[in-house]
Amino acid sequence: MSERGWITFTIDGREVSAPENEWLLEAAKRGDVEIPYFCYERKLGQPVGACRMCMVEIEGLPKLQVSCATPVKDGMVVYTQTDRVREAQNAVVEFLLINHPLDCPVCDKGGECPLQDITYGWGPGRSRYREPKRNFPKPIALSPLVAIDRERCILCYRCVRFSQEVAEDSQLSFLERADHTFVGTFDGRPYVAPFSGNILELCPVGALTSNAYRFRARPWDVENSASICTLCPSQCNIAFTVRDDRIERVLAREHPDVDDGWLCDKGRFGYQFVHSPERIAQPLVRDGGHLRPATWERALQTAVDGLAKAGASSAALVGGTTTNEEGYLIQKIFRQALGSSSIDSRAGGELDTAAARMLARPELSARVSDIDRAAVVLVLETDPMNEMAILDLRVRKAVGRFGTRLVVASSHPTALDAGASERLLFESGAQEALLRALQKAMVEKASAQATIEGAGAEAAQARVAAGQEDLMRFLDDQQLDQLAERAGVDAQDVRDAADLLVGAESIVVLWGERIGQGERGAETLAALIDLALLAGLDSGETSGLIEVPSLTNSRGLREVGCLPNAGPGLTDTTSGAGAREFAQAAANGELGALYLMHSDPLREQPDAALWKQALAGAGFVVAHSEFLNGSIERHADVVFPAESYAEKDGTVTHPDGRVQRLRPAIGRPGEVRMEWQLLGELARRLGLDVPHLTTGMLLSEIAGSVPFYRGLTADEIGAKGVRWQEREQSLQAAVGILGELRFSSPTAPPPRAAIGDGDGSLRLATLRDLWASWETDHSPALDFLRPAQELQLHPQDARRLGVDNNQDVDVASNGDSVRAKVRLRDSLRPGAAYLIAGTAEQNANLLDKGRPGVVEIREVDR
């Protein structure tokens, strides 16, 4: 609801100021007046007034009004304590309790139940109902994760509204009518959806309970510990519920600028891996060909000896759950103690330093909350549902609630396609051609003088006059039809998308990190920056870019120096080998030591076949890990037990630049040590001066080395984090590092993507899956969501190849193959074979060489 300025109204004799048209229930809180309610929830959007609990008396109106759906007006006089109001509230509570079982002693919600609190505060304190209550089986499995006690349900509509209006999966609904009404799925199937767990927190009674938490604890037995979820790049704010040093559940800790108060099911239920009996709880050293438990002294000294011997012939692969502090120390060890800059935290391809600096500029950096205010959102080569889940809900909210126009441009279908105003499904690997086609269409739309209207008009026109001659000359020489053909899209569809971008007052672009990977990664990032500048993203207050990275802390690791060609703060440094280069060196027997920091390259990196050779050929392998995996079980010489995210103390950086703080919620199991202290000990044994006694001291050193974090302290980060782009001290320090925003100078049109030969071969395209992760593998509640490898094909290709839906096939390339089950989808592009990357078995990364390629489909011999 839009705010038109502030007004004054009176409630229970108090004068209160509030934004005009704010809902009365919310405005009352500004005057410290509490109004009870059940069905209202700000995050669900427009109120429905279903429970009638929040009724108040308003002067001049003959009937009581529901405060959740009444906008406040200037001079309004409101009463919440009159006899009429109390009588109405008593009646509502009494009515709700007619069929409620009153099983508070055994209900998981007991002690934190709004119905319980409101009954004591606003109920009649007695019941006149003597008839038998309705009964259902207890509990009913609404899904493998959620149980429902239907007799407790008060039909507040919250869970149904979430399913239909927020997640838009439309699975939950009210079934039957009158006193037979109950919540369920319309077809009787389990409610399985990526965000289903949010209904647990939305339920104001104990009707919906978590199967993983049911009967595990009571509110007075537990403590809640605030932290950050690092199971995906969303970095949602969470609270661990802890009892006896064990995590029993995870709750959302609302942060409108990060997660809007929602969690995906991976973040809500994935915590179970923390207490898995399979966790590594002590150091391991290879002895006699096998990893065996060892003392910390032996493990540390073995690691130091191996690294010191390798010296500059060593490399580090840093995984996404690594904190900024750990990343800073590992790059410091390698650069200063070992003399090696071969440090990488990216999954596939070196990042162009100039592009990285421009992409980090504050003018191009949008907040997550800017999506709500954007006129247009462009989703570019990413599926937020599977790669940064909470962004999916944010985009749906912007489209459905605020009228944002959505353009989806990707090489594969996404969960957001149904709500898109324009959909550009381009060939796998043709993102550069798509970006250039969009630019050509925008320039045509904006006229020969490139007069781009909207928020960026003046700045865009100035750039046209001052410095984009090379780009304009290049675009003048291109034909939109030819560029569109290279991308594999229809030219008119490109024009329609450009029409939305040109002149939009604010634009947010969500771009997947994969567009910067591969042989044309640098050119594609340059094209992305050109598109951003043409659209004026650098001059709109709510416009900008948000990267959807492959790893949780990709941005933070990049900024603290975990790149082969950039030091802390993206500063120039001696260039080292990137991940693929030092993997090739290891495969050739030319790498003395490989350090795996929270990384499983066989599962996470492209070209798993190369990494198999690399791990076998590396002279010495050190790993930090919570579990034994394929990369370390057969190849690591030293394994340090890693902390889980519930045990870490440190910081991570959100993709929009917000530095957030991890806080330990539980103790570390067994002999697990704080990893930043372990790295500090390694550094000291390798001859570095590392005097840090606390993470605060280490953060101070980072703040002195990384201009973006200049002067940053743990106290300033606090519970909500801080975006460095909004700190004057950071902006001043970063001026000399980030360089100027400028257009590129392309000289040749982008190439076409690789295509099959029409005789049993197809383009390879890999997909991300939210559940394809080791956290899912080790969390029993999520076990049913573990994806098996599947080959997604267009029916046209299936007919040509002679394969059927659900048939098992082998997908082969260059001597390697994975087995998959065929899934036919009409929404795919013909000519491409879509496989899931990161699965525990039959991983598509075995075939993905980090560059466009083709695969052959073979029937499995019976």
Side-chain angles (χ1 to χ4, degrees):
M1 180 172 294
S2 62
E3 298 180 354
R4 304 177 182 175
W6 287 68
I7 53 89
T8 301
F9 72 104
T10 302
I11 182 167
D12 292 341
R14 307 179 189 182
E15 280 199 355
V16 178
S17 294
E20 184 180 8
N21 288 328
E22 184 176 46
W23 299 125
L24 177 55
L25 187 148
E26 292 285 357
K29 297 175 184 178
R30 301 179 186 273
D32 200 24
V33 174
E34 183 179 5
I35 300 175
Y37 61 90
F38 291 113
C39 68
Y40 177 76
E41 170 53 59
R42 179 190 58 79
K43 296 183 295 184
L44 293 175
Q46 296 293 321
V48 294
C51 70
R52 321 306 286 178
M53 190 68 221
C54 66
M55 289 188 290
V56 297
E57 190 170 352
I58 300 176
E59 274 191 8
L61 298 179
K63 296 182 179 181
L64 299 181
Q65 304 295 312
V66 286
S67 59
C68 70
T70 301
V72 68
K73 300 294 183 181
D74 192 40
M76 180 182 283
V77 179
V78 183
Y79 302 98
T80 69
Q81 303 293 327
T82 65
D83 290 340
R84 289 179 67 197
V85 172
R86 290 196 189 96
E87 183 181 358
Q89 291 171 337
N90 287 347
V92 170
V93 172
E94 187 176 19
F95 180 74
L96 289 177
L97 296 181
I98 282 178
N99 278 307
H100 198 79
L102 302 179
D103 50 6
C104 301
V106 297
C107 177
D108 280 278
K109 201 77 170 181
E112 55 184 13
C113 175
L115 176 61
Q116 202 174 50
D117 296 337
I118 290 174
T119 298
Y120 282 111
W122 287 272
R126 58 184 172 80
S127 175
R128 295 174 289 171
Y129 190 73
R130 296 294 180 266
E131 300 300 320
K133 297 174 181 276
R134 69 176 184 173
N135 290 287
F136 293 94
K138 288 173 66 68
I140 295 171
L142 190 62
S143 80
L145 300 172
V146 179
I148 181 169
D149 291 87
R150 281 181 175 156
E151 65 271 30
R152 298 177 188 170
C153 178
I154 63 171
L155 304 179
C156 69
Y157 205 50
R158 283 188 178 191
C159 58
V160 174
R161 291 186 64 204
F162 174 81
S163 173
Q164 295 182 353
E165 301 174 24
V166 178
E168 296 182 349
D169 56 62
S170 297
Q171 294 189 54
L172 292 185
S173 60
F174 280 149
L175 305 176
E176 302 299 336
R177 294 291 182 268
D179 61 327
H180 297 289
T181 303
F182 64 92
V183 172
T185 57
F186 69 92
D187 58 359
R189 295 181 181 180
Y191 176 43
V192 177
F195 306 102
S196 66
N198 287 289
I199 64 176
L200 297 169
E201 285 193 71
L202 285 173
C203 183
V205 295
L208 297 171
T209 53
S210 164
N211 285 325
Y213 181 66
R214 193 176 174 90
F215 304 136
R216 300 284 298 183
R218 304 306 296 268
W220 49 85
D221 297 329
V222 301
E223 296 179 348
N224 286 331
S225 178
S227 192
I228 305 297
C229 176
T230 62
L231 304 190
C232 90
S234 297
Q235 293 186 19
C236 298
N237 287 225
I238 58 173
F240 293 111
T241 294
V242 180
R243 180 186 184 188
D244 297 334
D245 212 30
R246 286 184 62 89
I247 300 170
E248 298 295 352
R249 66 176 173 180
V250 171
L251 299 175
R253 184 166 56 89
E254 186 169 350
H255 194 323
D257 290 328
V258 176
D259 49 53
D260 226 10
W262 306 121
L263 288 178
C264 71
D265 285 357
K266 184 177 177 181
R268 189 175 296 276
F269 299 104
Y271 67 87
Q272 292 181 324
F273 79 86
V274 172
H275 302 296
S276 170
E278 298 176 357
R279 269 193 72 180
I280 301 172
Q282 62 189 107
L284 304 174
V285 174
R286 190 165 296 277
D287 190 1
H290 299 280
L291 286 173
R292 305 183 191 278
T295 64
W296 271 104
E297 176 60 30
R298 184 187 174 197
L300 281 165
Q301 195 56 50
T302 302
V304 168
D305 292 343
L307 292 171
K309 180 180 178 181
S313 178
S314 55
L317 188 63
V318 185
T321 58
T322 307
T323 65
N324 293 333
E325 289 75 12
E326 294 161 0
Y328 176 79
L329 283 174
I330 195 72
Q331 66 85 32
K332 183 174 182 177
I333 289 172
F334 271 73
R335 285 194 165 97
Q336 297 184 20
L338 302 178
S340 171
S341 291
S342 298
I343 311 148
D344 210 347
S345 58
R346 287 171 53 81
E350 185 175 304
L351 178 64
D352 180 70
T353 310
R357 290 169 183 160
M358 279 195 277
L359 290 169
R361 286 193 65 90
E363 303 98 309
L364 288 182
S365 297
R367 310 171 191 84
V368 169
S369 57
D370 288 338
I371 296 173
D372 294 347
R373 299 181 286 272
V376 178
V377 171
L378 170 60
V379 176
L380 178 61
E381 191 60 333
T382 180
D383 181 3
M385 173 76 80
N386 287 300
E387 299 179 57
M388 194 172 170
I390 291 303
L391 279 188
D392 180 273
L393 293 186
R394 182 73 76 158
V395 173
R396 292 177 187 274
K397 172 185 174 184
V399 173
R401 204 175 297 178
F402 304 125
T404 298
R405 306 296 296 274
L406 175 63
V407 178
V408 178
S410 71
S411 61
H412 55 84
T414 77
L416 292 170
D417 289 355
S421 300
E422 297 295 338
R423 178 72 179 97
L424 300 172
L425 185 64
F426 56 84
E427 289 185 357
S428 178
Q431 52 265 22
E432 183 188 354
L434 186 280
L435 287 167
R436 293 304 183 192
L438 268 177
Q439 293 164 35
K440 176 67 175 180
M442 290 172 66
V443 169
E444 287 182 355
K445 175 71 176 177
S447 82
Q449 289 74 35
T451 306
I452 302 174
E453 301 173 353
E458 294 182 4
Q461 292 175 30
R463 285 195 298 272
V464 171
Q468 66 181 57
E469 291 87 354
D470 290 342
L471 176 63
M472 296 302 296
R473 190 179 302 113
F474 167 78
L475 293 176
D476 285 342
D477 292 338
Q478 305 303 312
Q479 297 296 321
L480 178 57
D481 290 347
Q482 294 176 352
L483 289 172
E485 182 186 5
R486 287 177 178 273
V489 295
D490 185 83
Q492 186 56 49
D493 292 341
V494 178
R495 290 190 179 93
D496 292 342
D499 287 348
L500 294 177
L501 296 174
V502 174
E505 293 186 359
S506 57
I507 302 171
V508 173
V509 178
L510 308 178
W511 61 281
E513 181 185 352
R514 74 180 74 180
I515 74 169
Q517 299 174 2
E519 297 174 352
R520 300 285 299 183
E523 290 83 356
T524 307
L525 289 178
L528 173 66
I529 295 169
D530 289 341
L531 179 73
L533 297 180
L534 277 177
L537 268 59
D538 58 324
S539 51
E541 290 186 5
T542 57
S543 295
L545 302 169
I546 299 178
E547 179 186 9
V548 179
S550 301
L551 305 175
T552 297
N553 193 31
S554 282
R555 179 162 190 161
L557 295 174
R558 191 160 66 221
E559 292 179 346
V560 299
C562 291
L563 288 177
N565 53 350
L570 300 178
T571 54
D572 291 326
T573 185
T574 303
S575 292
R580 183 173 180 82
E581 294 171 322
F582 62 67
Q584 188 63 62
N588 295 337
E590 299 168 357
L591 191 71
L594 177 61
Y595 204 114
L596 302 177
M597 187 75 185
H598 307 136
S599 181
D600 179 3
L602 292 183
R603 183 165 187 173
E604 300 166 356
Q605 291 283 328
D607 204 348
L610 172 62
W611 279 100
K612 282 184 180 180
Q613 300 174 29
L615 291 166
F620 184 74
V621 179
V622 183
H624 289 240
S625 183
E626 289 142 295
F627 298 93
L628 291 177
N629 55 52
S631 294
I632 67 176
E633 192 167 11
R634 290 186 291 273
H635 302 292
D637 296 286
V638 178
V639 180
F640 294 123
E643 298 171 287
S644 75
Y645 70 140
E647 298 146 14
K648 282 184 180 289
D649 186 8
T651 61
V652 290
T653 305
H654 189 275
D656 76 352
R658 182 179 298 274
V659 182
Q660 302 191 96
R661 188 175 176 189
L662 290 168
R663 300 168 185 264
I666 57 174
R668 289 169 292 280
E671 299 179 30
V672 178
R673 291 186 180 181
M674 286 186 282
E675 289 180 273
W676 71 268
Q677 289 187 344
L678 164 61
L679 290 170
E681 178 63 22
L682 278 176
R684 282 186 286 273
R685 293 187 180 212
L686 288 168
L688 294 181
D689 180 21
V690 183
H692 316 108
L693 302 176
T694 65
T695 52
M697 295 173 66
L698 182 53
L699 180 59
S700 295
E701 180 176 331
I702 295 174
S705 302
V706 179
F708 315 138
Y709 304 158
R710 185 67 51 85
L712 190 63
T713 65
D715 288 341
E716 183 183 357
I717 295 171
K720 293 293 187 179
V722 58
R723 289 185 77 234
W724 65 258
Q725 298 95 328
E726 298 172 4
R727 301 176 69 246
E728 188 61 33
Q729 196 172 359
S730 295
L731 294 177
Q732 292 176 357
V735 168
I737 300 295
L738 297 181
E740 287 185 52
L741 284 173
R742 62 182 181 276
F743 287 93
S744 67
S745 300
T747 57
R752 289 184 62 90
I755 58 175
D757 59 12
D759 183 23
S761 62
L762 299 168
R763 293 186 307 277
L764 173 65
T766 58
L767 305 174
R768 297 287 298 280
D769 189 298
L770 178 63
W771 312 111
S773 68
W774 58 266
E775 295 95 345
T776 301
D777 297 344
H778 295 283
S779 297
L782 299 178
D783 185 67
F784 74 102
L785 292 170
R786 291 177 61 186
Q789 187 57 264
E790 62 181 33
L791 169 64
Q792 298 183 20
L793 290 177
H794 191 277
Q796 174 183 317
D797 292 320
R799 288 191 296 269
R800 177 171 61 84
L801 297 172
V803 297
D804 298 321
N805 197 36
N806 294 323
Q807 180 178 342
D808 290 327
V809 297
D810 285 330
V811 186
S813 176
N814 297 323
D816 296 310
S817 67
V818 299
R819 183 154 297 181
K821 191 173 291 293
V822 174
R823 292 285 186 267
L824 303 185
R825 296 181 63 184
D826 291 326
S827 57
L828 299 173
R829 283 193 62 88
Y834 296 83
L835 293 170
I836 302 172
T839 54
E841 294 88 25
Q842 307 298 325
N843 192 343
N845 285 340
L846 185 65
L847 308 181
D848 182 7
K849 306 303 180 182
R851 57 186 181 274
V854 296
V855 293
E856 184 179 352
I857 313 302
R858 303 169 183 164
E859 295 187 46
V860 176
D861 294 332
R862 298 296 182 182

